[in-house]
Amino acid sequence: METIKNAANYVSESIQGAGSEASKEANKQVAKDSNATLGTRASATKDMIGDKFDQKKHETTADVHKEAAKH
């Protein structure tokens, strides 16, 4: 039962990590857009950094669940 729970958590964290990565890439494009206002670009940069942090957190947690599901 614990293996199934860890596998489900692995999938969930992997999906959340992918979502954070997609958001990070979208914010990266806004931050690089010379037509956007300085405030918009700065906000996108801040959000991009937060998304990168979230992505790494989810990926790390997913790896922990993946390893736990193996045992």
Side-chain angles (χ1 to χ4, degrees):
M1 185 65 153
E2 208 51 38
T3 301
I4 293 170
K5 187 192 257 184
N6 284 322
N9 286 335
Y10 165 71
V11 171
S12 174
E13 290 292 339
S14 295
I15 291 169
Q16 290 177 50
S20 293
E21 182 177 13
S23 180
K24 176 193 75 164
E25 289 301 321
N27 282 316
K28 183 178 177 180
Q29 293 307 312
V30 172
K32 291 169 41 176
D33 183 1
S34 60
N35 292 324
T37 66
L38 183 59
T40 299
R41 293 174 73 182
S43 180
T45 301
K46 177 189 72 72
D47 292 343
M48 181 183 67
I49 292 167
D51 289 337
K52 181 67 175 176
F53 176 78
D54 288 344
Q55 176 190 359
K56 289 297 180 188
K57 180 184 73 161
H58 290 302
E59 288 173 351
T60 301
T61 304
D63 288 341
V64 169
H65 288 299
K66 181 179 178 181
E67 287 303 313
K70 290 181 180 179
H71 302 294

